[in-house]
Amino acid sequence: VADKTVLDLGCGLWNVKDMEEASPVYFKNKGAKRIIGVDQNEKDISVLKKYFDEHFPADGSEFLVKSIETTNDMTGLIAQYQIESIKCDIEGFERVMFKMDKSQVKNLENIAVEYHNRQLLLGLAQTLKKWGFTVINHSLFTYASPDMGVITAKRD
């Protein structure tokens, strides 16, 4: 993510005890140019805005209270913010990506997606391949169902 604009879909804090563990902060500390964080939890978005204002002032990061329900929701953010990297953890709405075509993700260099069932994993793998990406990491959760994990891919 170094020097990239990262779209963090599902950037909420979800019981994070140390802000350094929050995904937007993690990406920023890994050298991301700016973060576009999206979550439905208004309280978490407010906390992230305040944290970034204090720790990363004027870096261009933005945090939005928004749901991702359609392909247009996703492609609109990618185009508007010139997204280069995506982290997607939006509990099932990852399926909106299946309807996107390669031209809509032409500026993306890498993507990481959390999945919650085998069908979603297979659909994501097919979609990423169709877009010209190669899966470079597949991690399973040790604390959950064996059908849950994260796949990370980069452009070929």
Side-chain angles (χ1 to χ4, degrees), residues 120-154:
L120 183 56
L121 168 63
L122 295 173
L124 288 167
Q126 282 182 326
T127 299
L128 291 167
K129 183 176 181 178
K130 180 176 72 175
W131 290 350
F133 284 76
T134 298
V135 174
I136 58 171
N137 191 17
H138 180 195
S139 301
L140 298 175
F141 293 140
T142 58
Y143 59 86
S145 158
D147 291 335
M148 292 179 64
V150 175
I151 57 173
T152 304
K154 70 176 188 170

Side-chain angles (χ1 to χ4, degrees), residues 1-143:
V1 297
D3 298 318
K4 307 274 186 282
T5 298
V6 177
L7 178 58
D8 188 346
L9 298 168
C11 68
L13 300 175
W14 300 102
N15 300 321
V16 168
K17 306 261 187 278
D18 179 354
M19 282 299 286
E20 297 294 311
E21 295 176 0
S23 57
V25 176
Y26 172 83
F27 293 134
K28 192 65 184 167
N29 286 335
K30 289 293 184 182
K33 180 173 36 184
R34 70 181 181 150
I35 309 298
I36 306 305
V38 176
D39 203 280
Q40 293 181 337
N41 186 318
E42 290 181 39
K43 181 180 175 192
D44 288 356
I45 293 295
S46 177
V47 168
L48 286 163
K49 283 180 181 180
K50 183 178 180 194
Y51 185 89
F52 268 67
D53 284 348
E54 291 174 5
H55 292 84
F56 309 107
D59 77 335
S61 292
E62 294 185 39
F63 294 91
L64 312 168
V65 176
K66 182 175 177 55
S67 62
I68 304 296
E69 297 178 7
T70 69
T71 301
N72 287 341
D73 291 336
M74 182 89 78
T75 58
L77 290 169
I78 292 169
Q80 179 180 353
Y81 293 102
Q82 299 178 344
I83 300 300
E84 300 162 289
S85 184
I86 293 178
K87 178 252 162 180
C88 184
D89 177 11
I90 50 176
E91 310 309 325
F93 291 106
E94 297 90 343
R95 289 179 179 85
V96 302
M97 290 188 293
F98 296 163
K99 297 177 184 169
M100 294 167 54
D101 65 48
K102 191 174 184 173
S103 69
Q104 294 171 307
V105 296
K106 65 181 181 243
N107 293 330
L108 289 182
E109 295 182 27
N110 49 48
I111 185 168
V113 183
E114 181 180 296
Y115 62 89
H116 291 261
N117 61 59
R118 185 159 178 74
Q119 181 182 6
L120 183 56
L121 168 63
L122 295 173
L124 288 167
Q126 282 182 326
T127 299
L128 291 167
K129 183 176 181 178
K130 180 176 72 175
W131 290 350
F133 284 76
T134 298
V135 174
I136 58 171
N137 191 17
H138 180 195
S139 301
L140 298 175
F141 293 140
T142 58
Y143 59 86

